[in-house]
Each structure stands twice: as C-alpha cells, then as structure tokens.
Amino acid sequence: MTATETARNRAAFGRFHDATNSGDYDLIEKTIDEVVAPDVVFHAPVPMETTGAQALKQVWTVLLRAFPDLRVTAEDVLADGDKIVCRNTVTGTHRGEFRGMPATGKRVSYSEIFILRFAGGRVAEIWGVVDVLTQLRQLGALAA
C-alpha cells in the first residue's frame, strides 16, 4: 500500500466520520454510497435483515431515531496498510425507540472499536466491538 493510498483511505474515513456527526441522515447515506463498497462485509453482528452498505444505512437510521444528538468522538485513529482502526467514544440522548425500549431521555456514553479494510478507496470490510453492556445499563435495561 502506497502513502497515497493510505492518505486516500484516511480521507474517506474522515468524510464518513464527519458525516456521521452531522446528524443529517441524507448526508450520511450519500457518504456511505461514496466511501463504502455496496457489498461491504461485516464481521460483527448487525441486527438487520439487509447486508452490505444497505445494512450500514439501516444501522444509522436506527441510531439517529433513538439518539438524534449522537456524537462519535474518535479517540484514536491508526492507519496501517489497507486498514484503519478507530477507537471511539459515543454519546447521545435516548429520545426514540431503541432495541424495543421507549425513549428514556437518559444520556449514554460508551466505547467502541472498529477496524475498516479498504479496497480501491472504499470500505470493503468492517470488524467492530461496541460496548452494548454499558449502553444498556445506562438506559436502565440492565442492572448496574
């Protein structure tokens, strides 16, 4: 992987990250179409009936309905070859249905780590670990 390809991948990641923090679903969807391969492969459970980029769009639909003020802060972003690793802190206010729970008005703050593999300047594979346990505890769905 050349330095130019690594820079291109970092730029694509940056565009996606900025779009997700816009709160604008149309911008997120457009950016997914531009920087994510239509047949992107998830190596993490995605609770959706769809696959590929459509599943990623559906994830963002669910998240923004539940947490309209969602923010993803990239704590660390590392690029190596065709991969980018990001460690994030996610914050938001539960204002809509999420995982069968009606809105609670509670704030959440949880961690996640994603590895993105790029091919041809687009995200081709995604591995992810999200601290759902902390998220559900903060929402009151699980005992602390």
Side-chain angles (χ1 to χ4, degrees), residues 31-139:
T31 306
I32 288 171
D33 288 340
E34 293 171 358
V35 303
V36 176
D39 58 348
V40 64
V41 176
F42 290 92
H43 299 282
V46 178
M48 306 293 160
E49 300 302 319
T50 61
T51 60
Q54 284 305 119
L56 187 56
K57 290 175 187 179
Q58 205 167 357
V59 165
W60 280 99
T61 297
V62 168
L63 286 173
L64 289 178
R65 275 193 205 135
F67 306 95
D69 62 344
L70 189 82
R71 296 289 301 163
V72 180
T73 302
E75 306 293 350
D76 291 300
V77 178
L78 308 168
D80 186 27
D82 62 351
K83 292 188 178 78
I84 290 183
V85 178
C86 52
R87 180 180 65 85
N88 303 319
T89 299
V90 181
T91 58
T93 309
H94 185 212
R95 300 208 184 279
E97 185 275 327
F98 184 67
R99 297 181 180 257
M101 291 178 287
T104 63
K106 294 181 178 181
R107 296 267 311 147
V108 295
S109 179
Y110 58 92
S111 299
E112 62 183 18
I113 297 174
F114 281 92
I115 302 171
L116 311 173
R117 185 184 66 79
F118 287 77
R122 297 176 87 178
V123 178
E125 290 184 87
I126 300 172
W127 293 262
V129 178
V130 177
D131 186 358
V132 176
L133 183 62
T134 294
Q135 180 190 64
L136 294 176
R137 280 185 175 153
Q138 290 173 1
L139 292 174

